[in-house]
Amino acid sequence: MANKEITSREDDYSKWYIDIVQKANLADYSAVKGCMVIKPWGFAIWENIQGQLDKMFKETGHVNAYFPLFIPKSFLSKEADHVEGFAKECAVVTHHRLMNNPDGSGVVVDPSAKLAEELIVRPTSETIIWNTYRDWINSYRDLPLLINQWANVVRWEMRTRLFLRTAEFLWQEGHTAHATQQEAVEETKLILNLYADFVEQYMAVPVIKGVKTANERFAGADDTYTIEALMQDGKALQSGTSHFLGQNFAKAFDVRFLNSENKQEYVWATSWGVSTRLMGALIMTHSDDDGLVLPPKLAPTQVVIVPIPKPTDEINEAAQKIISELRGKGISVKYDNDKKKRPGFKFAEHEMRGVPVRIGIGKRDLEKNQVEVARRDTKEKQSLPLEGIADAIQQLLENIQNNLFEKALKFRKEKTTKVDTWEDFQKVLKEKGGFILAHWDGTTETEVKIKELTKATIRCIPLDNEQEKGTCVLTGKPSKQRVLFAESY
RNA sequence: CGGGGCGUAGCGCAGUCCGGUUAGCGUACCUGCUUUGGGAGCAGGGGGUCGCAGGUUCGAAUCCUGCCGCCCCGACCA
């Protein structure tokens, strides 16, 4: 069926990505420019991401709250770097009422309903939150304050891509307040590690942890920590950030506390977030030309059972038995007993949607007390005995999870290159892509120059970076460590 | 904001250059029969403000003018 076919990665990577998103029923374009509709299958994956992260946040002492969608315009300008970073992409609410157009052609904005102060649709919530924290924090006994919110935010982007960059997106944003600098820095790193663990262990996407250069830092942060993943086309995707905000927002919003010595101090802050962009990382890391490939730990349905060629009493009975065994082990399973679709159609459909394991049950299988088990990641099929099937499937799901991570890690290793000359830098970037480890003289001028010349940016300075004397790949000036370059999304 | 492309049935498209039957094809959908271990076959059927608004013309999906929308590439960004 032509309309179900996916553009191959080789032909057009960008088109391939869009095909997967749409044909695997993850998301669709909406009537609003730059905004997408997240469809049930895509949203179910996001819910799994949310569920696990939320659990991890709570295990580390964080609690959820909710702050307003609208931010008074004046708030945004209180932190100079912050406003500079976000001003260019803010949606602004100016009126609060519509009226019938006198000419009868529908409704128009009622000019008499102009807001006294315009409201910004939050691009991020630091300002409204710190304005609130001022009232909540009086003493060191109120600290630390460890709050997260799940929310939507709006950033009016010039150009959008499904999941990777949309005008509105879903995310979580943590905002914490601490009595000491050290504690805030520790919080920033705690979350960075939490993100890295989640992305690697649940999404099966290997990441490099690092710190951003001054140039790439979050607007208003003293330090931005990041996890960077490598996509199949050799481009990097920033997958989560954790910011040490110093006392910048505390000073801007006058958030002080009395320490144990009865002295006023400004509090130390962090903020951190991951967004529905993670969906993009998930899709681009594992999927193939047959569709989406999902890691078992995040798949809304881990196992699908397909009766071959159609459900009979005998097959239904065998399927029900397997279903209850699998569910007993906490494995999510769907029995696709739709009589109107043929097996081949179902196979293709579930492969498109990335269901990790498919069990086929036919008369011939049952005669031999076995079923056909197919794994999505390698597309291998094998016959397994009904006896002990649940254990075997559980094992298989673990194998798939591990295989996806290992495969992605191997790919990243192959696509990570150390280069020492400017010629090699350009050549590797152009011909091979991926991550490049190279020396850099530490100046923003050089960083910007390299970006102008090659489109590559410094993704991060990897943590625990090996210290190694060298010379900057562009300027030849001395450098004491390599940094991670790549073209990025 | 610059460059490119597109707008015709739910989806994907042809038809537009060079105006002229009842606007067509694939797929999806509905009905029936036959099929059924990798996206079934045959037959019949329903579904259209040809993006919008003007204009030219006996006649416009097609020509002219204006507008709107979306996608892709680039600058900006999670």
Side-chain angles (χ1 to χ4, degrees):
Chain A
M1 281 180 204
N3 68 324
K4 291 286 187 185
E5 275 169 16
I6 294 174
T7 308
S8 75
R9 283 164 291 188
E10 202 183 329
D11 284 353
D12 186 342
Y13 189 85
S14 186
K15 185 97 191 334
W16 167 80
Y17 175 78
I18 294 163
D19 281 352
I20 300 260
V21 171
Q22 293 191 305
K23 291 177 180 169
N25 274 317
L26 301 177
D28 211 343
Y29 294 106
S30 72
V32 185
K33 180 183 170 71
C35 293
M36 64 176 172
V37 175
I38 303 178
K39 297 172 81 173
W41 185 248
F43 201 76
I45 298 167
W46 175 242
E47 284 180 312
N48 285 346
I49 291 173
Q50 269 188 306
Q52 181 56 33
L53 278 171
D54 201 62
K55 188 166 161 246
M56 293 167 83
F57 295 150
K58 284 168 181 165
E59 282 167 358
T60 47
H62 302 84
V63 290
N64 286 332
Y66 187 78
F67 293 85
L69 171 67
F70 301 121
I71 297 175
K73 192 176 72 177
S74 59
F75 282 21
L76 206 69
S77 51
K78 289 195 178 183
E79 212 291 329
D81 290 337
H82 191 68
V83 67
E84 196 190 324
F86 286 105
K88 294 188 294 277
E89 51 192 42
C90 287
V92 185
V93 179
T94 57
H95 292 75
H96 64 85
R97 195 191 300 137
L98 299 174
M99 57 185 269
N100 287 321
N101 195 339
D103 74 5
S105 65
V107 288
V108 291
V109 171
D110 183 342
S112 70
K114 197 170 191 315
L115 293 178
E117 177 173 7
E118 290 162 345
L119 296 171
I120 310 300
V121 181
R122 64 180 165 218
T124 179
S125 301
E126 274 77 4
T127 57
I128 185 87
I129 285 178
W130 280 90
N131 186 68
T132 309
Y133 280 5
R134 180 176 57 239
D135 297 336
W136 291 0
I137 297 169
N138 292 300
S139 130
Y140 72 96
R141 295 175 200 276
D142 297 323
L143 299 172
L145 190 55
L146 307 173
I147 292 181
N148 175 64
Q149 83 166 344
W150 290 97
N152 56 340
V153 286
V154 168
R155 296 183 187 174
W156 213 267
E157 300 287 354
M158 297 295 183
R159 196 179 144 229
T160 60
R161 295 190 74 179
L162 294 170
F163 287 118
L164 299 173
R165 187 175 300 103
T166 45
E168 179 191 15
F169 58 94
L170 305 182
W171 76 345
Q172 57 71 215
E173 47 180 326
H175 297 272
T176 69
H178 305 265
T180 65
Q181 171 170 13
Q182 188 195 344
E183 198 184 297
V185 170
E186 276 167 14
E187 167 77 7
T188 312
K189 289 179 178 169
L190 171 81
I191 296 298
L192 182 78
N193 286 320
L194 185 155
Y195 284 160
D197 289 347
F198 169 76
V199 172
E200 295 199 332
Q201 288 168 25
Y202 287 82
M203 294 179 49
V205 175
V207 295
I208 290 182
K209 293 184 270 194
V211 62
K212 289 286 188 187
T213 61
N215 189 45
E216 298 275 335
R217 210 174 269 158
F218 174 75
D222 281 359
D223 265 318
T224 288
Y225 292 84
T226 178
I227 49 173
E228 298 284 328
L230 189 66
M231 303 296 101
Q232 292 182 49
D233 62 346
K235 284 193 193 170
L237 184 71
Q238 178 175 306
S239 306
T241 47
S242 181
H243 315 291
F244 169 62
L245 302 175
Q247 294 175 311
N248 301 334
F249 285 91
K251 285 175 180 167
F253 288 89
D254 194 31
V255 185
R256 285 172 294 174
F257 70 102
L258 271 178
N259 66 19
S260 55
E261 287 151 21
N262 202 32
K263 281 184 186 152
Q264 292 275 1
E265 282 187 57
Y266 286 112
V267 303
W268 297 85
T270 83
S271 70
W272 27 273
V274 296
S275 70
T276 35
R277 173 178 255 202
L278 286 179
M279 296 286 293
L282 193 68
I283 296 158
M284 285 199 287
T285 301
H286 305 305
S287 301
D288 60 26
D289 291 348
D290 295 316
L292 187 66
V293 176
L294 287 171
K297 284 185 183 175
L298 293 177
T301 301
Q302 294 169 305
V303 177
V304 64
I305 300 177
V306 178
I308 298 168
K310 61 183 175 183
T312 62
D313 289 347
E314 199 187 11
I315 291 172
N316 287 342
E317 195 184 324
Q320 286 310 326
K321 190 154 174 292
I322 295 170
I323 289 167
S324 62
E325 282 178 35
L326 289 174
R327 291 198 174 137
K329 291 186 174 295
I331 295 167
S332 60
V333 52
K334 180 193 153 125
Y335 183 36
D336 189 353
N337 60 355
D338 187 341
K339 290 180 187 127
K340 296 184 286 291
K341 292 175 185 152
R342 298 167 47 128
F345 185 89
K346 293 176 182 177
F347 293 174
E349 194 74 16
H350 294 300
E351 277 162 12
M352 179 76 76
R353 289 158 63 102
V355 177
V357 170
R358 183 185 72 238
I359 299 177
I361 309 178
K363 192 163 171 248
R364 296 210 296 266
D365 298 306
L366 292 180
E367 280 164 4
K368 288 183 273 184
N369 277 312
Q370 64 183 32
V371 291
E372 182 189 80
V373 176
R375 55 188 288 179
R376 175 65 183 86
D377 60 338
T378 61
K379 309 210 66 190
E380 289 164 337
K381 283 193 273 196
Q382 57 180 327
S383 289
L384 292 178
L386 279 168
E387 183 73 30
I389 188 71
D391 283 325
I393 296 292
Q394 188 170 43
Q395 186 61 53
L396 180 59
L397 289 169
E398 279 173 34
N399 286 347
I400 293 171
Q401 182 81 30
N402 292 336
N403 177 53
L404 289 176
F405 180 77
E406 290 303 326
K407 206 168 125 191
L409 187 62
K410 182 166 174 267
F411 175 83
R412 190 188 75 189
K413 281 180 180 162
E414 287 166 3
K415 286 276 191 180
T416 301
T417 316
K418 279 190 182 180
V419 310
D420 292 305
T421 67
W422 182 240
E423 288 66 37
D424 283 352
F425 187 97
Q426 291 171 294
K427 188 165 179 247
V428 168
L429 194 70
K430 194 173 171 213
E431 290 169 12
K432 183 180 173 186
F435 284 137
I436 295 180
L437 284 163
H439 281 282
W440 163 61
D441 64 20
T443 67
T444 299
E445 295 73 49
T446 302
E447 184 181 1
V448 170
K449 186 83 184 164
I450 290 174
K451 186 182 179 183
E452 277 171 14
L453 293 170
T454 65
K455 292 205 292 189
T457 51
I458 300 178
R459 302 318 304 151
C460 67
I461 301 160
L463 296 186
D464 309 320
N465 210 6
E466 190 188 331
Q467 297 300 296
E468 170 197 287
K469 280 201 162 53
T471 55
C472 176
V473 74
L474 184 69
T475 63
K477 290 179 188 164
S479 150
K480 59 182 194 302
Q481 63 182 346
R482 291 175 185 271
V483 298
L484 192 69
F485 286 92
E487 260 191 66
S488 74
Y489 277 98

